[in-house]
Amino acid sequence: MARKPQASVELVEDPKVGSNLSAAQHLLAEHNMMVVKQHGDGLPYDRDRLINEARFYMGTAAEAMLEAGKRLVMIKEIEGHGEFIRICEERLGLSERTARQMMQAALKYLSPELEKHTDKLQHLGKAKLIELLAEDDEDLAALAEGGTLAGLELDDVERMSCRELRKALREAREDKTAQGRVMADKDAKINELSTQLARKPVVEVKPLDEQLQELRLEATAKAGAAEAAIAGALHPAVHLLMEHEVENDQRTFVAGLLAQVEQAIVEIRAEYSIDATPVASAVPAWMRDSADEEIAAALANQQQGA
């Protein structure tokens, strides 16, 4: 028979002795009634009955653990912590840790968020349900619906041992933590770079002569690299080929290589209408030795024309 959706119940402390004892007892009675209503399946609270039922369900598989855990919740809430521990140890043979795990499992897997998936999840067995207690309800629901958890499908979890499952979950948590650190470092680096960029002027325009000087230096470096490649790499390669020349076979091949290099230079000259030999000094006018005389003459001509 399908279980009714149950609201989550928070465990409360036993009332302390004081002037407000009656009010506290009244609140506790109301709380106990709510616990019995939520977990009692319509039956009144009977401690001995619940203990016997808990002992019965403990002898079966995961479903029994959840049913026993549900009854332990009621015993704990109504009997109080001290009496609950005594009942677990003396009448049920349970340690406090085991009892708490059973209660946590019942509250988790029989909650409204997971109750419709309980039938699938309980096939994993008691030990694996305990291992999965720390996982989010949304992730467990996705696992039951055919998704994955820590890269594992439900069939994978069912086939593997508890030790393997514990290792897979631990590694997944470690990976998630590591990814979080990487993302945090990445965000910090982006923020640092953004701050540095914000401190710089939006537009930084260099004087024209500085721009031309940088471009000339870059072009000179490229030309030097090309010349070095021809002299240091192409020339030795041609030399080796010519040492093994048979009639005109190598000369024809080398001629093709050189024509390829020359063609690249010819295309540059044609694109920009550049002469084969320099027709003017590449040194700027203001850097020439005669610059002062030329400037003086130009000023004199300007004054005469005025």
Side-chain angles (χ1 to χ4, degrees):
M1 182 175 64
R3 301 183 182 88
K4 298 179 180 179
Q6 300 171 346
S8 178
V9 178
E10 295 182 1
L11 306 183
V12 299
E13 296 288 339
D14 296 335
K16 297 181 180 180
V17 178
S19 59
N20 295 327
L21 182 59
S22 297
Q25 288 177 331
H26 179 71
L27 292 174
L28 182 59
E30 291 183 348
H31 177 74
N32 292 344
M33 291 176 62
M34 181 179 66
V35 171
V36 173
K37 182 178 180 180
Q38 292 176 345
H39 299 287
D41 295 331
L43 298 176
Y45 178 77
D46 184 331
R47 184 174 71 173
D48 290 334
R49 175 179 63 83
L50 293 173
I51 292 173
N52 291 331
E53 289 179 351
R55 183 182 291 112
F56 169 78
Y57 283 113
M58 286 167 53
T60 60
E63 181 180 6
M65 178 190 69
L66 300 181
E67 292 293 342
K70 186 168 65 174
R71 286 154 176 79
L72 290 173
V73 169
M74 291 188 283
I75 296 173
K76 166 66 172 62
E77 289 298 290
I78 294 176
E79 295 295 335
H81 180 72
E83 183 65 11
F84 171 74
I85 297 301
R86 189 187 69 79
I87 290 172
C88 288
E89 293 177 349
E90 296 180 6
R91 301 190 62 177
L92 295 175
L94 290 174
S95 66
E96 180 181 2
R97 178 176 179 273
T98 301
R100 287 193 177 277
Q101 286 180 336
M102 294 171 66
M103 290 189 293
Q104 290 170 358
L107 291 173
K108 185 176 186 69
Y109 296 110
L110 299 179
S111 66
E113 293 79 9
L114 288 178
E115 188 174 21
K116 65 180 180 180
H117 303 296
T118 301
D119 290 341
K120 289 184 177 180
L121 293 174
Q122 68 188 11
H123 289 305
L124 299 175
K126 297 184 294 184
K128 291 178 183 177
L129 290 183
I130 295 298
E131 292 292 340
L132 294 170
L133 277 176
E135 305 303 319
D136 293 337
D137 291 354
E138 295 81 1
D139 295 336
L140 291 173
L143 177 67
E145 292 173 353
T148 60
L149 174 68
L152 302 170
E153 296 181 351
L154 188 62
D155 290 341
D156 299 327
V157 177
E158 192 168 0
R159 284 193 296 267
M160 65 193 343
S161 66
C162 284
R163 179 177 297 179
E164 292 171 337
L165 175 60
R166 187 181 307 118
K167 180 181 178 182
L169 294 175
R170 183 180 66 251
E171 291 177 349
R173 285 191 290 268
E174 291 173 351
D175 290 343
K176 187 175 181 180
T177 301
Q179 290 174 0
R181 292 198 190 100
V182 171
M183 292 302 297
D185 293 342
K186 182 178 180 180
D187 291 342
K189 187 63 176 178
I190 291 174
N191 292 335
E192 179 183 354
L193 293 174
S194 299
T195 301
Q196 294 176 359
L197 290 174
R199 292 174 180 172
K200 293 183 177 180
V202 177
V203 178
E204 185 178 349
V205 180
K206 294 182 178 180
L208 181 59
D209 57 342
E210 291 187 15
Q211 296 181 43
L212 290 174
Q213 183 68 13
E214 291 180 359
L215 291 173
R216 286 185 172 181
L217 289 175
E218 182 178 357
T220 300
K222 299 291 186 182
E227 182 183 0
I230 293 173
L234 181 58
H235 190 179
V238 170
H239 178 73
L240 291 174
L241 286 171
M242 297 307 296
E243 284 185 342
H244 296 80
E245 181 182 10
V246 178
E247 295 182 356
N248 292 327
D249 291 345
Q250 303 304 330
R251 290 182 179 276
T252 302
F253 178 75
V254 172
L257 294 179
L258 297 180
Q260 183 179 350
V261 176
E262 292 171 348
Q263 181 61 31
I265 297 175
V266 168
E267 289 177 358
I268 295 176
R269 292 186 185 279
E271 182 176 357
Y272 301 102
S273 301
I274 299 174
D275 296 327
T277 57
V279 296
S281 174
V283 180
W286 57 271
M287 292 182 62
R288 299 172 188 165
D289 295 336
S290 60
D292 293 340
E293 292 79 0
E294 292 178 1
I295 293 174
L299 290 175
N301 293 333
Q302 185 178 6
Q303 290 175 357
Q304 290 178 0

